[in-house]
Amino acid sequence: MDRLSALLEHNRAFTENREYEQFKTDRFPDKGLAVLACMDARLVELLPKAMGLKNGDAKLIKNAGALITHPWGSVMRSLIVAIYELRADEVCVVAHRDCGMRALNPNKILQHAMERGISEETIATLRAAGIDLDNWLKGFENVCDSVRHTVQTIRNHPLMPKDIPVHGLVIHPSTGRLEVIVDGYHCDIDPAL
Ligand SMILES: [Zn+2]
């Protein structure tokens, strides 16, 4: 059975058995939280459990590295919508140890793309069109610096209300232990970051 069929078969049983009833909630986050986390597969269940979050408690936004690559991209927009339209009043950025985005190598990714059939010409055309692939595909060197930078990007956003605490955390992907990198209640981050 292919993956989609298996998934749909599970889904039929899930709905028939009314297993959804235990997840019933509304779209407003009960704990008033918007969380930006990494998409790492180890965090699928671990992150909410380790943070004491159940269905309906938080707005959870995920991407590779818990990063905001552009102040006008979809992550920042999601946070703005969560705050103004969905009653979130506190933000947590949660990156993690052993993240795949640490020291990501753009050349290696492009090499893999070519091995999968993307032509060298396509890559050259993108570069010629002004797309900075190396910058777009780069990760970060240090997870704590990255979290501080992301928190600062959120706090400095012109549409972000100044009374919203923005915390920066790093979670351990095996134990779920959280380290506080930025305490959003007492912000004293280096403005240079
Ligand atoms: Zn990660």
Side-chain angles (χ1 to χ4, degrees):
M1 190 187 297
D2 64 35
R3 286 175 200 159
L4 179 60
S5 306
L7 186 157
L8 292 173
E9 184 164 301
H10 170 86
N11 183 254
R12 256 188 302 279
F14 180 87
T15 49
E16 273 166 26
N17 299 334
R18 302 171 73 89
E19 286 181 52
Y20 52 83
E21 284 178 349
Q22 60 185 309
F23 300 108
K24 205 163 181 188
T25 182
D26 61 29
R27 64 200 168 108
F28 300 108
D30 294 337
K31 291 195 173 171
L33 278 178
V35 178
L36 168 59
C38 182
M39 66 181 188
D40 194 292
R42 291 168 290 182
L43 302 180
V44 170
E45 286 188 75
L46 181 70
L47 180 127
K49 292 260 162 56
M51 293 181 73
L53 299 174
K54 61 175 180 20
N55 211 41
D57 278 348
K59 293 288 170 191
L60 183 50
I61 303 151
K62 287 193 164 191
N63 67 15
L67 294 169
I68 293 179
T69 47
H70 198 287
W72 301 106
S74 63
V75 173
M76 198 60 229
R77 181 176 57 189
S78 301
L79 289 172
I80 293 294
V81 170
I83 288 163
Y84 288 113
E85 300 302 311
L86 298 163
R87 302 179 196 161
D89 54 14
E90 205 150 331
V91 176
C92 289
V93 175
V94 190
H96 65 102
R97 298 281 167 195
D98 190 35
C99 184
M101 288 300 277
R102 200 185 67 78
L104 203 66
N105 183 341
N107 287 332
K108 211 165 132 190
I109 297 174
L110 293 174
Q111 185 59 44
H112 289 158
M114 285 193 280
E115 285 164 16
R116 296 284 291 274
I118 310 299
S119 72
E120 213 169 333
E121 199 186 356
T122 298
I123 292 169
T125 305
L126 291 170
R127 286 197 202 281
I131 295 169
D132 186 350
L133 290 173
D134 300 305
N135 194 46
W136 189 61
L137 290 171
K138 83 170 172 16
F140 49 77
E141 294 288 322
N142 177 298
V143 69
C144 298
D145 289 346
S146 173
V147 165
R148 283 189 202 96
H149 180 77
T150 303
V151 166
Q152 199 68 327
T153 301
I154 297 169
R155 288 181 60 209
N156 288 342
H157 197 279
L159 294 181
M160 180 60 63
K162 296 298 167 215
D163 60 343
I164 297 279
V166 184
H167 310 292
L169 306 163
V170 170
I171 192 168
H172 194 284
S174 317
T175 65
R177 194 175 83 83
L178 287 166
E179 293 169 64
V180 178
I181 309 302
V182 181
D183 173 346
Y185 301 129
H186 309 96
C187 274
D188 48 355
I189 339 176
D190 181 351
L193 283 169

